[in-house]
Amino acid sequence: MAVAVLVVQWSAKRRCHAKGASEAESNERAVLGGNAAGKADTIVPMPIHPIVIYGEPVLHQRAEKITDFDEELARLVSDMHETLDASNGVGLAAPQIGVGKRIFVYHAEDDAGIRRRGTFINPLLIASKVPDTRPDPDDETEGCLSVPSLDFPLKRADRVTVNGVDETGQTVSLTAEGWFARIMQHEYDHLQGTLYVDRLDRRWSKKWKKEQTANGYNVPGRSWTPGVDPDPFGH
């Protein structure tokens, strides 16, 4: 069993996801052959996938359990890590690239300066009680790759334990506090069909609804591609 203990603090300068904007290009590129019709002979999959935006149905549905641990799964997990790195985010769930499967990956630096990278498949998360206080806008603000350019304060549990397996089927377990606990909760929520903006308190939910309408984050079919579309945060 692989066990890691992460003790970190949340910083307003960090976000559970970096954010991007604009319409996406496809993650597949056609390689044209020399036929007279000029049709694509081969479709070459690209490792960096478009990230779908709030309103896409897959984001709002419970993800399906993984049962086959094969080369296709290993390739998907590898692509997710590539996409995460290109996005400058710290966590990415499969539904965010349009795949309704119970997978999330993470890659972030803790307060000790140690980079933590990992994969959870079919995870189970156990959290401490969420404090019954208002979130601090300076220290408890959260963002999401699937809600580009926005962030809002959200109260989270201070400590979590996540159990699951990796892409090889090996058991993995993580106990986290503070910053990393927030990442784990954020990504696990994606697998339940919940985004962080769905959890906002009354005050911040009203602000989110206004921004949602203004940005058009209420219809399906929108996405952005890390490394292709401009990053509005200058990462």
Side-chain angles (χ1 to χ4, degrees):
M1 177 181 294
V3 179
V5 178
L6 308 177
V7 181
V8 291
Q9 298 294 320
W10 170 253
S11 167
K13 296 180 181 179
R14 294 169 170 172
R15 296 290 181 264
C16 267
H17 290 302
K19 292 143 284 194
S22 83
E23 294 301 311
E25 295 183 359
S26 172
N27 68 308
E28 294 182 338
R29 301 294 184 265
V31 179
L32 296 180
N35 56 43
K39 295 182 180 179
D41 288 332
T42 307
I43 298 296
V44 181
M46 302 297 285
I48 297 176
H49 293 243
I51 295 173
V52 297
I53 293 175
Y54 195 100
E56 190 67 18
V58 69
L59 291 173
H60 309 287
Q61 300 167 356
R62 182 180 174 85
E64 298 178 355
K65 185 176 181 179
I66 293 292
T67 56
D68 296 323
F69 292 79
D70 52 17
E71 291 184 5
E72 183 177 355
L73 175 63
R75 185 165 56 250
L76 173 60
V77 170
S78 177
D79 286 359
M80 288 178 64
H81 278 287
E82 291 279 354
T83 302
L84 175 60
D85 289 346
S87 74
N88 297 297
V90 296
L92 181 71
Q96 293 182 272
I97 59 170
V99 179
K101 301 294 184 180
R102 298 188 70 75
I103 311 168
F104 73 77
V105 300
Y106 62 91
H107 187 201
E109 184 177 287
D110 65 20
D111 280 3
I114 299 173
R115 298 295 297 183
R116 307 286 187 179
R117 180 189 291 273
T119 302
F120 273 104
I121 295 174
N122 300 333
L124 174 64
L125 181 144
I126 302 172
S128 61
K129 183 178 179 181
V130 178
D132 189 21
T133 55
R134 295 291 304 278
D136 186 334
D138 293 325
D139 294 324
E140 296 175 303
T141 294
E142 201 160 312
C144 181
L145 291 169
S146 291
V147 188
S149 77
L150 300 177
D151 54 70
F152 297 98
L154 177 65
K155 205 72 179 179
R156 291 284 195 181
D158 293 327
R159 181 181 176 87
V160 301
T161 295
V162 189
N163 297 305
V165 296
D166 63 16
E167 63 271 29
T168 69
Q170 294 297 308
T171 299
V172 288
S173 181
L174 172 73
T175 296
E177 297 183 9
W179 160 240
F180 255 83
R182 182 176 291 271
I183 296 172
M184 296 298 109
Q185 291 168 86
H186 184 112
E187 301 309 328
Y188 185 78
D189 272 355
H190 274 300
L191 307 186
Q192 315 307 113
T194 300
L195 283 76
Y196 88 101
V197 288
D198 300 325
R199 291 187 176 275
L200 299 176
D201 65 22
R202 185 175 179 181
R203 174 188 175 185
W204 295 109
S205 182
K206 290 176 65 176
K207 292 181 179 295
W208 151 240
K209 292 300 182 183
K210 291 180 180 179
E211 292 288 354
Q212 181 184 20
T213 300
N215 286 278
Y217 296 162
N218 50 11
V219 294
R222 299 190 64 189
S223 63
W224 68 280
T225 303
V228 174
D229 293 312
D231 185 335
F233 297 90
H235 294 111

